[in-house]
Amino acid sequence: MTEPHSPDTSPGPEPSAARGGDAPPPRTRSMRFTSLRLRLVLVFGLVALTAAVTASGIAYWLNREAVLTRAQDAVLHDFKDELEDRAGVLPADASREELRQAAEQMSRSSQNFSVLLMSTSPDGQPITAPSAELDQFTLADVPLSLREAVNREQKLTAANPSPYHVYWQRTVDENDTPCLVAGARIADGPTGYMLKSLEPEAKDLNSLAWSLGIATALALVGSALLAQAAATTVLRPVHRLGIAARRLGEGKLDTRLQVSGTDELAELSRTFNRTAAALEHRVAEMTARDEASRRFVADMSHELRTPLTAITAVTEVLEEELDAETGGIDPMIEPAVRLVVSETRRLGDLVENLMEVTRFDAGTARLVLDDVDIADQITACVDARAWLDAVELDAERGVMARLDPRRLDVVLANLIGNALKHGGSPVRVSVRVEDAPAAPLAQLAPLTPHVGHSAHDVGERAEQVADADAGAEGAEDSSEAAGKVLVIEVRDHGPGIPEEVLPHVFDRFYKASASRPRSEGSGLGLSIALENAHIHGGEIAAANSPEGGAVFTLRLPLDASAAAEQAAVEQQAAARQRQRSGR
């Protein structure tokens, strides 16, 4: 038997080994990521876990093959030598005692394996002899495929001088202990089988697996710490950028970031600074233009008042002549005189409205509060304009409110006049008192922009609200103490307001029909009414009634003292803002 051992023809099951650290990565698909830091840590952890598991798996597999191959080669080499030396001298029909002595001598090898020798008696009966009487290694422990391979005679050739070879197979015994089973047959001699326990090697491999698992866990913890450090390094500039963007959105256009470094985040910070500077410059230009436009309107309105006063005095004289029975006006020019009188009156109203709008835009409008009986106030407004025959009033006397009577009169005059002009008679005015909403109306007003306000105005008003928080606390307490809201509804019986016009009814100079750019009104009445409602801490809503006609709903707090205090604080904040903006 000069042929080296050959691989097994039908390998059996391989021993199992503990695989510490080979646990599958945590499931994160169903996890909702709400933080960039969490996502960075998880990505770092998954990358580290994948790399560690891959490296550990490869290392375990290479070491396992090396350990098993080294132990297997040593055992098979020793078994082959012992079989040739001890059993090779026995005859083919050796007795059981001769086989037992040879097997015992073979088992004393340094590899300490169990041996089972087999031969055939003269009458053809198989004889088996283990290496020890108490040895539990029997022929049943040898896989059938291995026995068939051992007894299969090979054809002799120049490359194959031996008819029988050594075959081996790794298997597991009934105690789940990994074993190596090998066998060979001597020509004209007995057949030998060997059983070698691989439990020491399995324990070494288990220890290796646990070590690799611990190393994987340490790598995962280290990667999490590194990810945390990296996330902090990356997210700190992002956090500062978010704070700066929020301040910029609040109207603080002088916000800038400190830039250091040359990486992408530093370049992003530089871009933010350039954008903020360009935005500040652009807003400053727009603010200057807007301020110049407001100043022009205010100056123009003021300058128009002087000649308009003289023209109004003349038109009043002409109107008296028209009404006189003496016939002092030539009938040929009477229509022209009446036109001059009506247009002069319309021009005067327009100038007054423009000055009122200018005061609202400049933040100089003030509330002069007084206790008002709402029913008396509405009656006085309607009576002063000779609308008593066209207006129905549904209001109980005794409903008192602390408001600005002049501004409330302006609101009522605009709403009722608009209903009479564009709706249908009769116009119904109803008054009721409701519980205040959850959010005080005084807090809603400062953030309500309208056409004619620039983007800077809206940002400035937002900052005013932020600066006015301390002063608004007292206003909130007062509003909660009152706990009531005055609701005045003005409803007409006309065709209603077209749906496409509803969002624009309070816009300045808005015309519902482009084909009729000229009308008796200035296009500022409803806008001024809305501003007067806002300065009281209230609101006006426009809608169409299901029964027909338009409905304007005015909501005001019964006590506007809190709104007056808040408006004063906002005006102070606006003044500080104008100083910071270089106005």
Side-chain angles (χ1 to χ4, degrees):
M1 287 201 355
T2 58
E3 180 115 357
H5 64 271
S6 303
D8 60 324
T9 56
S10 179
E14 295 187 8
S16 61
R19 305 193 327 182
D22 286 355
R27 296 180 61 187
T28 57
R29 290 184 180 179
S30 61
M31 186 175 183
R32 183 179 180 183
F33 296 133
T34 58
S35 169
L36 182 59
R37 181 185 302 273
L38 176 61
R39 281 180 279 177
L40 285 174
V41 171
L42 286 178
V43 169
F44 267 78
L46 289 175
V47 171
L49 183 62
T50 302
V53 168
T54 302
S56 299
I58 293 175
Y60 177 80
W61 182 78
L62 293 176
N63 281 276
R64 177 181 180 276
E65 290 301 316
V67 169
L68 293 179
T69 300
R70 183 171 59 251
Q72 174 181 290
D73 289 346
V75 171
L76 292 178
H77 185 271
D78 198 11
F79 172 68
K80 179 183 176 183
D81 292 343
E82 290 293 332
L83 187 63
E84 290 178 346
D85 294 342
R86 305 297 182 183
V89 298
L90 297 177
D93 56 350
S95 65
R96 183 186 301 273
E97 183 62 24
E98 292 175 333
L99 293 175
R100 189 191 62 78
Q101 292 179 358
E104 184 179 355
Q105 292 175 354
M106 292 175 60
S107 64
R108 295 173 182 171
S109 169
S110 59
Q111 296 298 329
N112 193 25
F113 44 70
S114 300
V115 178
L116 180 66
L117 294 180
M118 296 181 58
S119 65
T120 304
S121 64
D123 56 358
Q125 296 296 324
I127 301 174
T128 59
S131 56
E133 293 294 340
L134 300 178
D135 200 339
Q136 299 180 356
F137 180 40
T138 63
L139 190 61
D141 297 326
V142 180
L144 181 59
S145 58
L146 181 61
R147 283 182 277 168
E148 292 176 351
V150 168
N151 293 319
R152 186 182 302 119
E153 185 176 357
Q154 304 291 330
K155 184 178 180 180
L156 298 176
T157 61
N160 183 30
S162 176
Y164 300 102
H165 297 170
V166 176
Y167 294 94
W168 57 269
Q169 183 173 329
R170 288 199 291 268
T171 183
V172 178
D173 63 11
E174 58 185 9
N175 297 323
D176 293 332
T177 302
C179 301
L180 176 66
V181 180
R185 181 174 180 178
I186 300 175
D188 299 330
T191 301
Y193 294 101
M194 176 273 300
L195 176 66
K196 169 65 176 178
S197 175
L198 297 178
E199 186 175 4
E201 288 76 10
K203 291 182 178 180
D204 293 341
L205 292 176
N206 287 341
S207 299
L208 176 63
W210 278 107
S211 300
L212 293 176
I214 294 174
T216 301
L218 293 177
L220 186 60
V221 173
S223 67
L225 296 178
L226 291 176
Q228 178 69 14
T232 301
T233 303
V234 172
L235 295 181
R236 185 181 293 114
V238 175
H239 180 65
R240 288 199 296 264
L241 183 61
I243 295 177
R246 185 162 53 251
R247 290 172 58 86
L248 194 65
E250 293 172 353
K252 301 174 182 178
L253 302 181
D254 57 344
T255 302
R256 297 294 184 273
L257 291 171
Q258 293 184 355
V259 183
S260 61
T262 58
D263 56 7
E264 289 80 0
L265 290 175
E267 183 60 29
L268 178 61
S269 299
R270 294 189 183 92
T271 303
F272 175 85
N273 288 342
R274 290 193 294 267
T275 303
L279 181 62
E280 183 180 21
H281 178 69
R282 182 63 176 169
V283 170
E285 289 182 350
M286 294 177 62
T287 302
R289 293 177 185 176
D290 187 57
E291 180 65 22
S293 176
R294 293 178 184 177
R295 192 161 46 246
F296 170 75
V297 173
D299 294 344
M300 180 188 67
S301 302
H302 181 73
E303 294 297 330
L304 284 175
R305 294 187 70 178
T306 301
L308 187 60
T309 302
I311 295 173
T312 301
V314 173
T315 56
E316 288 177 353
V317 174
L318 293 176
E319 191 173 14
E320 291 176 359
E321 290 293 332
L322 288 173
D323 297 335
E325 297 180 355
T326 58
I329 300 295
D330 189 342
M332 297 295 294
I333 65 172
E334 182 178 343
V337 173
R338 292 188 180 279
L339 178 62
V340 169
V341 171
S342 63
E343 290 299 316
T344 300
R345 186 178 293 111
R346 180 171 177 267
L347 180 60
D349 293 339
L350 177 60
V351 171
E352 290 298 328
N353 288 339
L354 286 175
M355 294 189 68
E356 186 73 4
V357 168
T358 303
R359 282 191 287 270
F360 279 118
D361 289 346
T364 58
R366 297 286 192 276
L367 285 176
V368 181
L369 301 180
D370 195 4
D371 293 327
V372 177
D373 187 301
I374 301 302
D376 292 344
Q377 180 73 19
I378 298 175
T379 302
C381 173
V382 173
D383 186 36
R385 293 162 179 83
W387 292 339
L388 286 175
D389 295 337
V391 176
E392 296 179 355
L393 179 59
D394 180 14
E396 295 182 0
R397 296 188 179 276
V399 177
M400 304 299 295
R402 186 165 182 76
L403 304 169
D404 188 326
R406 184 185 69 83
R407 295 189 181 278
L408 179 59
D409 181 77
V410 171
V411 175
L412 294 172
N414 277 291
L415 295 181
I416 298 174
N418 183 77
L420 291 172
K421 185 185 303 180
H422 301 288
S425 298
V427 173
R428 183 177 180 82
V429 181
S430 59
V431 178
R432 66 179 184 272
V433 177
E434 297 179 349
D435 292 333
L441 294 176
Q443 291 185 358
L444 301 178
L447 295 178
T448 307
H450 54 76
V451 173
H453 283 185
S454 65
H456 179 70
D457 294 330
V458 178
E460 181 177 313
R461 289 170 75 97
E463 183 178 357
Q464 292 169 6
V465 174
D467 291 340
D469 283 342
E473 292 180 359
E476 292 178 16
D477 295 337
S478 176
S479 179
E480 291 176 359
K484 299 294 181 181
V485 173
L486 174 67
V487 180
I488 302 176
E489 286 187 354
V490 179
R491 177 189 171 190
D492 60 48
H493 290 77
I497 305 173
E499 293 297 330
E500 65 275 7
V501 177
L502 272 176
H504 306 286
V505 293
F506 296 106
D507 295 351
R508 295 177 183 176
F509 301 107
Y510 179 77
K511 301 292 183 180
S513 176
S515 62
R516 297 171 57 229
R518 178 180 177 83
S519 64
E520 296 181 2
S522 63
L524 294 173
L526 291 179
S527 175
I528 292 175
L530 182 64
E531 289 289 354
N532 278 297
H534 285 172
I535 199 173
H536 280 87
E539 186 60 83
I540 303 178
N544 289 316
S545 174
E547 292 80 11
V551 179
F552 285 82
T553 304
L554 170 65
R555 295 177 180 273
L556 299 175
L558 280 181
D559 187 354
S561 301
E565 295 176 4
Q566 183 175 349
V569 176
E570 289 180 17
Q571 290 164 6
Q572 296 176 0
R576 293 196 301 269
Q577 176 66 17
R578 285 194 293 270
Q579 292 177 358
R580 290 198 297 267
S581 301
R583 289 187 175 184

